[in-house]
Amino acid sequence: MDVVIYLCVFLTAVRPIYSVPRIVDLSYQQDSNTITWPGNPPYNFTQLYRGIYAPYNTWLESNHFAMPEHMGTHVDAPAHLFQGSWKAHQIPIEKLYGPGVIINVKAKVESNPDYRVSTDDLSKYEEKYGEIPRHAVVIMNSGWTQKYSNYTLVYGTAQLQDDTTYHFPSWHEEAVKWLINKRQVNAIGVDTPSTDYGQSRTLPCHVIMGKNNVVGIENVANLDNIPESGSTIYVPVVKIYDGSGGPARLFGTYDDDPDKTNTASTATGSMFYTVFLILAIIIKF
């Protein structure tokens, strides 16, 4: 009987060891340097109170801020360019996260700032990592983050009031259609100011995504810090009533080493069955 007690205590004490996921901030902070579409009002931050608050005899800080919906790292609600689609407050929460898919086109963008991610890029991704999961969050990594927050570099022009001079990469509409029709993705994003490239005059990617209630994400940060496959990306946009979009504290999580064998966990799992086998033998005899 003492042996049984000892074994039960051991079984209770030994638990599997689980790895802690890495978390990557994929957003820029909101401040006076934050990028927005030229012509939008600037970010405004006003201190309302900062000091000792006499009624409670304690330190108090309170502020007011104002900003365009489409500033810095933000979400385009489907209604942004397609009437009747989801507004910001109507986007179902299950559409605001998914398996992370990072399409790296940095080498192609170096020689062509007007590059658009193609279906060929998506095919090559799947050749390397396997099929893009359904309901994924798919983001282009063009290396544009190194230009943030210099307006001239981000928009590829010093003539910011003339949008015909803009040069930055984004998505090709055929690739967007493919992701929606073949892989039923939740969201499509970029590390540039728009899900349509700078020279676009008709914004077809915005329209296609809006029509199909697919979330757009713009000015994504730190994409080199997250694996191209194997993460989960979360898109917690501010729930603005009737909004066409809003700022988001985008982030991703991933296992530090998903292929690593956790020997402690494996040993624990094996020991679990070994202990029960021993108990069965003892009880039987």
Side-chain angles (χ1 to χ4, degrees):
M1 182 60 68
D2 289 343
V3 174
V4 174
I5 294 173
Y6 292 147
L7 287 173
C8 288
V9 170
F10 175 79
L11 185 62
T12 302
V14 178
R15 291 180 172 84
I17 298 174
Y18 300 100
S19 60
V20 177
R22 293 287 187 98
I23 300 178
V24 180
D25 191 343
L26 300 173
S27 55
Y28 295 107
Q29 69 182 24
Q30 299 287 356
D31 58 29
S32 59
N33 295 315
T34 301
I35 291 288
T36 188
W37 201 261
N40 277 346
Y43 179 82
N44 179 274
F45 182 90
T46 304
Q47 292 182 12
L48 298 180
Y49 193 92
R50 190 162 296 191
I52 298 298
Y53 187 58
Y56 301 113
N57 192 31
T58 187
W59 181 265
L60 173 68
E61 292 189 16
S62 181
N63 310 295
H64 172 273
F65 71 93
M67 59 183 289
E69 296 170 319
H70 304 272
M71 173 175 267
T73 305
H74 70 275
V75 159
D76 283 355
H80 184 38
L81 265 84
F82 197 85
Q83 188 176 22
S85 292
W86 292 330
K87 306 273 192 168
H89 74 283
Q90 295 172 323
I91 302 172
I93 195 70
E94 61 268 21
K95 299 293 184 181
L96 294 173
Y97 86 105
V101 172
I102 311 301
I103 307 298
N104 188 333
V105 293
K106 291 190 289 185
K108 296 180 178 180
V109 168
E110 283 183 5
S111 59
N112 180 12
D114 295 321
Y115 187 77
R116 291 181 286 171
V117 180
S118 67
T119 53
D120 184 58
D121 293 316
L122 299 177
S123 296
K124 289 179 178 177
Y125 177 93
E126 292 198 334
E127 289 174 6
K128 184 176 182 180
Y129 296 110
E131 187 173 290
I132 293 172
R134 268 60 177 172
H135 314 303
V137 176
V138 185
I139 304 175
M140 173 194 77
N141 181 5
S142 70
W144 224 245
T145 189
Q146 64 183 336
K147 302 177 186 295
Y148 199 92
S149 56
N150 184 312
Y151 270 89
T152 297
L153 296 179
V154 167
Y155 284 93
T157 180
Q159 299 173 273
L160 295 172
Q161 301 310 313
D162 182 1
D163 62 6
T164 66
T165 68
Y166 293 175
H167 293 278
F168 55 79
S170 194
W171 287 89
H172 193 285
E173 57 266 31
E174 293 303 319
V176 167
K177 290 178 185 177
W178 191 92
L179 285 172
I180 293 171
N181 295 329
K182 300 292 186 181
R183 298 294 180 263
Q184 295 81 52
V185 299
N186 280 350
I188 298 174
V190 291
D191 56 350
T192 59
S194 173
T195 48
D196 280 285
Y197 79 129
Q199 285 291 292
S200 177
R201 306 270 62 84
T202 57
L203 306 178
C205 294
H206 279 82
V207 174
I208 293 165
M209 292 162 61
K211 183 178 181 179
N212 289 277
N213 275 327
V214 171
V215 171
I217 315 167
E218 295 169 343
N219 292 319
V220 180
N222 302 323
L223 289 169
D224 287 341
N225 296 335
I226 196 165
E228 294 176 0
S229 176
S231 70
T232 300
I233 294 178
Y234 299 85
V235 192
V237 61
V238 176
K239 196 173 182 180
I240 301 173
Y241 176 76
D242 207 32
S244 69
R249 184 72 184 267
L250 202 72
F251 67 95
T253 64
Y254 68 97
D255 193 314
D256 186 41
D257 188 353
D259 297 323
K260 179 173 60 182
T261 301
N262 188 330
T263 54
S265 181
T266 302
T268 300
S270 301
M271 185 62 71
F272 180 85
Y273 294 105
T274 302
V275 169
F276 265 95
L277 178 61
I278 295 172
L279 282 174
I281 293 173
I282 292 173
I283 292 171
K284 182 177 180 179
F285 293 102

